[in-house]
Amino acid sequence: MINTFLFPSDYFNKNKVDSSLYAEYITCKEINDTHIILFSYRKWFEDKIIELTSIPTKNTVVIYRGWMMIPEVYEKFYAALKAYNITLINNPNAYKLMHIFPNVYKSIQEDTAKILTFSLHQPIDLNIIKNNGINKFLVKDYVKSVKGSNFPSSFRVDMSQEEFDGWMKVFYQYRGNLLTGGICIKEFLNLKHYDDNTNEYRVYYANNKICSISKNSGQGYLTPLPPEELIQKYANLQSNYYTIDYAQLEDNSWIIIECGDGQVSGLSDSQDYVDYYKNLILCFE
Ligand SMILES: Nc1ncnc2c1ncn2[C@@H]1O[C@H](COP(=O)(O)OP(=O)(O)O)[C@@H](O)[C@H]1O
Ligand SMILES: [Mg+2]
């Protein structure tokens, strides 16, 4: 049974949870038999030192819920926690598989948009993208895009190279120290819209079982779910706890849009937190 959870603390107070995770923390805490450990946010993210609110007396498998780390930092986090009797639910290889999109891409290729990868700061020639049969695309690094900014949500290969190079500079600025791995050029596919919203779902897999399926794009209640067999098809990836986001296309077929390590994937707005934590614990029973 897994019922111990690790959350980051508040920056200034190591005994208080990070306020962004308060709703989750309080839900988790109120479920019977759960144990919560906080680690000092400031000590870890600034000094790479682990400081915990409590230390398990014997080796315990623990689920972390919190901020993303680049794989190198996660590996250190995993090793440092071992010294405190904590074994995180995902080892560094499992983390790297789901967090770095080109790693998992090989396993999901037949159900996702085509991608091309480039090293960081390597010039990206639009002709190469075009010659790969891509006319419209999105820019991400190996983990995330930049959203909620003036950065375009898609580009066409027939734009000027100079303009695109300018946007890539902007991309690097926005990703800042979160920039991870390399650049991922992802073919743009026409997503189905219901009014102004797309139809996207986040599926959490825990212990290779389906833990939750929740709406993730502000759509209403009446939109269809991803097909059961597609969700089942990806239940056996090499990670104990991960997410896959699915989206419906205009032709009503479904694709995977992104994957993540479960520990650093946010719950969706529409998610029932109590159900989520209860199911998560059940999946590992
Ligand atoms: N291949 C694609 N074609 C068209 N739109 C996409 C595609 N992939 C993602 N999107 C849209 O862009 C949004 C952001 O993409 P996503 O891969 O989830 O990046 P992130 O969550 O890192 O910003 C998605 O929620 C979806 O609406
Ligand atoms: Mg996303």
Side-chain angles (χ1 to χ4, degrees):
M1 174 156 181
I2 297 176
N3 56 2
T4 307
F5 294 86
L6 180 68
F7 285 83
S9 76
D10 177 74
Y11 181 88
F12 295 106
N13 183 347
K14 63 182 183 185
N15 296 312
K16 242 172 79 180
V17 75
D18 188 314
S19 60
S20 313
L21 291 152
Y22 184 75
E24 264 200 64
Y25 162 86
I26 214 69
T27 304
C28 180
K29 197 177 153 107
E30 283 171 1
I31 288 174
N32 283 346
D33 297 331
T34 54
H35 302 286
I36 297 181
I37 301 173
L38 303 181
F39 65 95
S40 161
Y41 178 101
R42 193 166 60 83
K43 284 273 191 243
W44 176 250
F45 287 103
E46 288 184 357
D47 307 328
K48 300 293 170 286
I49 291 170
I50 294 288
E51 210 176 284
L52 304 170
T53 47
S54 65
I55 300 168
T57 52
K58 57 180 196 310
N59 192 8
T60 305
V61 177
V62 170
I63 295 178
Y64 164 51
R65 291 289 310 156
W67 306 115
M68 290 182 179
M69 297 176 203
I70 61 170
E72 293 73 18
V73 172
Y74 183 81
E75 197 168 344
K76 286 192 183 128
F77 191 55
Y78 185 88
L81 288 168
K82 276 268 188 190
Y84 293 94
N85 280 341
I86 292 176
T87 303
L88 292 178
I89 190 73
N90 281 332
N91 66 30
N93 282 337
Y95 183 84
K96 226 185 321 186
L97 172 70
M98 298 309 294
H99 187 63
I100 300 294
F101 192 71
N103 289 349
V104 66
Y105 181 69
K106 300 169 193 83
S107 313
I108 60 167
Q109 205 164 349
E110 48 191 78
D111 292 299
T112 194
K114 185 180 201 171
I115 63 162
L116 300 174
T117 56
F118 296 86
S119 308
L120 293 180
H121 304 289
Q122 173 194 352
I124 300 176
D125 183 346
L126 288 171
N127 287 314
I128 293 182
I129 300 177
K130 196 172 174 177
N131 293 340
N132 274 282
I134 296 176
N135 290 316
K136 197 176 171 190
F137 60 93
L138 288 76
V139 176
K140 296 184 70 167
D141 66 14
Y142 282 3
V143 180
K144 289 258 103 184
S145 67
V146 295
K147 277 188 300 210
S149 64
N150 66 338
F151 191 79
S153 53
S154 66
F155 296 92
R156 293 191 165 278
V157 283
D158 53 14
M159 77 189 295
S160 86
Q161 182 69 49
E162 200 184 343
E163 192 190 342
F164 180 64
D165 294 344
W167 279 118
M168 282 310 297
K169 288 201 182 108
V170 176
F171 180 84
Y172 286 117
Q173 278 164 9
Y174 276 128
R175 288 295 286 147
N177 59 8
L178 291 174
L179 186 68
T180 308
I183 299 297
C184 191
I185 297 295
K186 176 154 86 149
E187 181 174 19
F188 183 93
L189 300 172
N190 292 319
L191 302 188
K192 183 146 181 159
H193 284 76
Y194 293 83
D195 298 324
D196 288 337
N197 300 308
T198 54
N199 192 25
E200 302 178 31
Y201 289 79
R202 171 157 292 182
V203 178
Y204 274 89
Y205 296 87
N207 201 16
N208 297 110
K209 295 173 196 163
I210 293 156
C211 168
S212 75
I213 304 172
S214 60
K215 294 180 189 288
N216 202 25
S217 56
Q219 68 270 56
Y221 283 98
L222 298 170
T223 62
L225 283 157
E228 167 95 45
E229 56 181 51
L230 181 64
I231 295 179
Q232 282 294 351
K233 183 175 173 183
Y234 293 107
N236 289 305
L237 298 179
Q238 300 295 302
S239 160
N240 293 324
Y241 180 41
Y242 60 94
T243 56
I244 300 186
D245 292 348
Y246 296 91
Q248 188 178 23
L249 296 181
E250 259 175 11
D251 68 3
N252 291 331
S253 64
W254 288 78
I255 54 158
I256 291 175
I257 49 175
E258 67 172 340
C259 300
D261 184 89
Q263 301 175 106
V264 299
S265 297
L267 300 184
S268 68
D269 292 341
S270 67
Q271 196 127 27
D272 180 319
Y273 284 20
V274 175
D275 276 358
Y276 177 76
Y277 272 93
K278 285 189 172 163
N279 282 339
L280 184 56
I281 292 165
L282 271 178
C283 284
F284 286 107
E285 258 174 18

